[in-house]
Amino acid sequence: MFEETMTELASLTIAEAREKLKARDITSVELTQAYLDAIETANAVFNAYVAVTPDQALAMAKASDARRASGTVGGLEGIPLGIKDLFATLDVHTQAASHILDGFKPKYESTVTQNLWDDGAVMLGKLNMDEFAMGSSNETSFYGPVINPWKAEGSNQQLVPGGSSGGSAAAVAAHLCAGATATDTGGSIRQPAAFTGTVGIKPTYGRCSRWGTVAFASSLDQAGPIARDVRDAAIMLRSMASVDAKDTTSVDLPVPDYEASLGQSLKGMKIGIPKEYRVEGMPEEIEKLWSQGIQWLKDAGAEIVDISLPHTKYALPAYYIVAPAEASSNLARYDGVRYGLRVDGNDILEMYEKTRAAGFGTEVKRRIMIGTYVLSAGYYDAYYLQAQKVRTLIKRDFETVFHAGVDAILTPATPSSAFGVADESLAADPVKMYLNDIFTVTVNMAGLPGIAVPAGLDHKGLPLGLQLIGKPFEEETLFRIAHVIEQAAGKFTPTKWW
Amino acid sequence: MSVDLATVKRVARLARIAVTEDEANRMVGELNGILGFVEQLSEVDVAGVEPMTSVTPMDMRRRADAVTDGDKAADIVANAPLTDRNFFLVPKVVE
């Protein structure tokens, strides 16, 4: 095929590719090859994939074409996807972008990825991320930073794609996969989606199984898709979500056809606007974007109501106790004995200490240290217990407004657009980097679903997103409203410079 | 509350992470920065508030007490740095 045709194939959305595959205009092998070619050309630029699996991809594509010929067609039949390095994939690189999992190739498959393969999807490879999903810029990866396909107008500066699912967001935006899996513990799906003009949804805690996903903070972690548009995200989530006997926190609720909620009217819906999200120092254009979003929803027939979520400001500090505490416990398993890196020592203790010193990066060590400290004798009540009580109050804030009839909440997704790689002020102050998650982290603390949808460009020509927060297990409402925003705002694709 | 160098070293020991003097010194500032940030939680009135234990109310599912998995010793040690006949090998811990 001519190069132009290949590029066109890779620019199809999942829904468009699905139609062309169905009509037999294209095969999954052709589609998969188009993405493998795009990765071959551009991955050196973006560093989005940490492992590409071309042989496996083509074998899966061939098998998909054979299934289609025999009349068996799954929800993602023949669609090539990128998988965040956090998901265990049988016999394939799975390291959570960490040195400590050096060479790890699991002998099992995560439930989420198994669900995708069962629905006919094709795996292109494993995507870069912040080490153990700890970061907001994809710069804590052992494999180095991911580069955002977006650049500011008239500037050549490299920008971050956000994090931790930075590889997923960049690969989707640069058309190096049709869609990608991602995970979100404090904003790791929604912030990178907002930074790259893509759509990312963190479903309700329990909607997707966590089995086989490398654990960061077990009470907050949740998988979800990053996709080119709202419809593609709806298609992917339907396949990813399931109850799972191997994860007792997964819920036994039917998985709806999320796509069916697209195009439904917003008449009679009540959208809450929380005053606490109007934070000090918020750029005027974020404020403007938010007002524009409110207007779009009003125009679509929704009722807008002012609401208050009084404990919002405490969500981020509570998160930086709860998440590191759970991480310090989860990451205790990396000891150089059962998998990954091992650095020898004179005795077993020294072996543990040297292995973990060499295997974990700076940010991961920092969070393990914080977590160990807040759980240690004498500090547990003051920090951890206090944070878990505040978490109850944060959740109660949301319950109160939902009880009062609010169907969903509209907020900005991030306090800024994408920032530069190796930003010195952020590197010097960990807390400043943490503030990236100020609008997203409340959702994880309360276990709610949240979606980030592109809503416009800032004065530098960089994408900005809006966030919708919903009631537990009402992802359909989020897709429905996000689709209205997408219809009004249009879609955003970076100008190709690579 | 804030941490000093001795506390950082003690916590690093608990976390089983070897730290150099330089690293420990740097961590004192960073950890105090984060602890300073989370300090604001102490101003929240939590009287009578239950700590969250589960973000979604759910009953733990049960299943029959039966063996459903196993016989995969080779898979379990497949990724280990050092093994012998399906055992993990570690430095001697008992004299």
Side-chain angles (χ1 to χ4, degrees), chain A residues 237-249:
Chain A
L237 182 60
R238 190 186 185 186
S239 287
M240 291 169 73
S242 72
V243 66
D244 183 7
K246 290 183 279 194
D247 174 6
T248 52
T249 63

Side-chain angles (χ1 to χ4, degrees), chain A residues 187-483:
Chain A
S188 285
I189 289 176
R190 293 158 287 156
Q191 184 252 19
F195 276 14
T196 56
T198 56
V199 175
I201 180 164
K202 180 206 92 75
T204 313
Y205 183 80
R207 184 66 285 185
C208 291
S209 166
R210 290 180 296 108
W211 194 83
T213 311
V214 176
F216 161 13
S218 303
S219 77
L220 302 158
D221 298 343
Q222 187 58 205
I226 291 182
R228 307 255 179 93
D229 61 16
V230 175
R231 182 175 300 278
D232 280 8
I235 295 171
M236 278 192 71
L237 182 60
R238 190 186 185 186
S239 287
M240 291 169 73
S242 72
V243 66
D244 183 7
K246 290 183 279 194
D247 174 6
T248 52
T249 63
S250 67
V251 294
D252 194 4
L253 283 176
V255 180
D257 176 6
Y258 296 116
E259 238 186 310
S261 54
L262 271 55
Q264 287 181 17
S265 163
L266 301 193
K267 283 208 173 60
M269 252 189 190
K270 215 181 246 190
I271 311 288
I273 309 300
K275 66 169 193 238
E276 289 80 6
Y277 281 61
R278 201 153 274 137
V279 295
E280 210 180 307
M282 186 159 85
E284 200 181 319
E285 47 192 347
I286 303 264
E287 184 101 31
K288 243 176 83 186
L289 183 88
W290 197 8
S291 305
Q292 176 66 73
I294 292 169
Q295 192 55 50
W296 285 331
L297 299 186
K298 256 190 207 164
D299 293 346
E303 183 193 343
I304 305 295
V305 289
D306 288 323
I307 59 167
S308 174
L309 300 165
H311 296 91
T312 298
K313 72 176 269 210
Y314 300 111
L316 201 60
Y319 174 86
Y320 275 97
I321 290 173
V322 174
E326 294 184 16
S328 73
S329 167
N330 273 324
L331 273 61
R333 74 191 68 184
Y334 304 104
D335 57 6
V337 176
R338 287 159 296 166
Y339 28 63
L341 185 75
R342 174 164 182 161
V343 180
D344 288 328
N346 289 323
D347 54 28
I348 194 163
L349 196 59
E350 198 179 289
M351 188 267 282
Y352 292 154
E353 290 184 337
K354 283 185 165 178
T355 298
R356 291 163 65 80
F360 291 134
T362 308
E363 181 62 28
V364 173
K365 283 182 195 169
R366 191 180 290 146
R367 298 208 197 181
I368 292 175
M369 291 285 289
I370 284 285
T372 306
Y373 177 73
V374 300
L375 290 178
S376 64
Y379 298 103
Y380 180 89
D381 284 3
Y383 287 113
Y384 189 72
L385 205 63
Q386 179 77 6
Q388 289 290 41
K389 287 178 180 171
V390 171
R391 198 174 168 189
T392 299
L393 293 173
I394 292 164
K395 188 170 180 236
R396 202 176 284 171
D397 285 353
F398 283 106
E399 284 166 352
T400 305
V401 299
F402 288 139
H403 191 72
V406 167
D407 295 290
I409 296 163
L410 181 74
T411 78
T414 56
S416 75
S417 60
F419 46 86
V421 172
D423 185 293
E424 278 174 24
S425 73
L426 289 171
D429 182 1
V431 172
K432 202 170 170 194
M433 183 67 94
Y434 299 167
L435 289 171
N436 259 286
D437 289 336
I438 191 160
F439 299 137
T440 49
V441 77
T442 50
V443 174
N444 302 75
M445 294 302 271
L448 301 171
I451 192 169
V453 59
L457 301 177
D458 71 357
H459 68 283
K460 293 176 281 191
L462 296 174
L464 292 171
L466 287 171
Q467 173 180 238
L468 290 155
I469 303 168
K471 298 181 198 173
F473 303 107
E474 292 198 10
E475 284 80 7
E476 287 167 287
T477 305
L478 297 188
F479 283 122
R480 182 169 157 188
I481 306 169
H483 187 64

Side-chain angles (χ1 to χ4, degrees), chain A residues 11-32:
Chain A
S11 69
L12 298 172
T13 63
I14 292 175
E16 289 164 354
R18 183 175 63 183
E19 288 314 303
K20 286 194 184 292
L21 286 162
K22 189 178 168 194
R24 312 285 166 105
D25 289 344
I26 58 169
T27 65
S28 176
V29 168
E30 286 167 352
L31 187 62
T32 301

Side-chain angles (χ1 to χ4, degrees), chain A residues 38-49 145 147 158 176 497-498:
Chain A
I39 294 167
E40 171 94 27
T41 311
N43 198 47
V45 175
F46 298 115
N47 197 27
Y49 283 86
I147 305 304
Q158 290 186 329
L176 303 187
W497 49 265
W498 57 93

Side-chain angles (χ1 to χ4, degrees), chain A residues 103-107 205 219 243-244 247-251 311 313-314 316-318 320-321 336-340 342 347-349 351-353 356-357 362 365-366 368-370 372-373 379 382-383 385-393 395 431 434 445-447 473, chain B residues 1-3 7-19 23 26-27 30-31 33-35 37-46 48-61 74-82 88-93:
Chain A
F104 182 56
K105 291 184 175 170
K107 289 289 169 193
Y205 183 80
S219 77
V243 66
D244 183 7
D247 174 6
T248 52
T249 63
S250 67
V251 294
H311 296 91
K313 72 176 269 210
Y314 300 111
L316 201 60
Y320 275 97
I321 290 173
V337 176
R338 287 159 296 166
Y339 28 63
R342 174 164 182 161
D347 54 28
I348 194 163
L349 196 59
M351 188 267 282
Y352 292 154
E353 290 184 337
R356 291 163 65 80
T362 308
K365 283 182 195 169
R366 191 180 290 146
I368 292 175
M369 291 285 289
I370 284 285
T372 306
Y373 177 73
Y379 298 103
Y383 287 113
L385 205 63
Q386 179 77 6
Q388 289 290 41
K389 287 178 180 171
V390 171
R391 198 174 168 189
T392 299
L393 293 173
K395 188 170 180 236
V431 172
Y434 299 167
M445 294 302 271
F473 303 107
Chain B
M1 275 174 270
S2 65
V3 295
T7 308
V8 164
K9 287 180 176 173
R10 185 176 62 83
V11 172
R13 196 87 223 266
L14 285 172
R16 302 286 184 257
I17 297 172
V19 289
E23 283 171 326
R26 202 190 59 229
M27 280 179 180
E30 289 173 353
L31 299 195
I34 297 166
L35 292 172
F37 173 64
V38 303
E39 193 61 45
Q40 54 183 302
L41 287 180
S42 61
E43 74 196 38
V44 183
D45 179 8
V46 292
V49 177
E50 284 293 310
M52 183 179 283
T53 48
S54 172
V55 74
T56 40
M58 53 173 70
D59 294 322
M60 188 68 85
R61 280 194 301 278
D75 278 1
I76 288 164
V77 298
N79 279 288
L82 209 56
F88 298 112
L89 290 191
V90 295
K92 192 153 84 172
V93 283

Side-chain angles (χ1 to χ4, degrees), chain A residues 43-52 82-87 93 95-99 125-135 137-148 161-172 176-177 180-183 188 192 226:
Chain A
N43 198 47
V45 175
F46 298 115
N47 197 27
Y49 283 86
V50 293
V52 186
I83 303 299
K84 189 178 183 180
D85 201 32
L86 206 65
F87 294 89
H93 186 288
Q95 289 187 215
S98 178
H99 186 38
K126 301 302 284 291
L127 294 162
N128 205 345
M129 53 181 283
D130 279 301
E131 184 182 5
F132 283 106
M134 298 178 192
S137 65
N138 212 114
E139 292 170 291
T140 73
S141 167
F142 176 66
Y143 297 95
V146 173
I147 305 304
N148 194 329
S164 69
S165 309
S168 305
V172 170
L176 303 187
C177 59
T181 64
T183 61
S188 285
I226 291 182

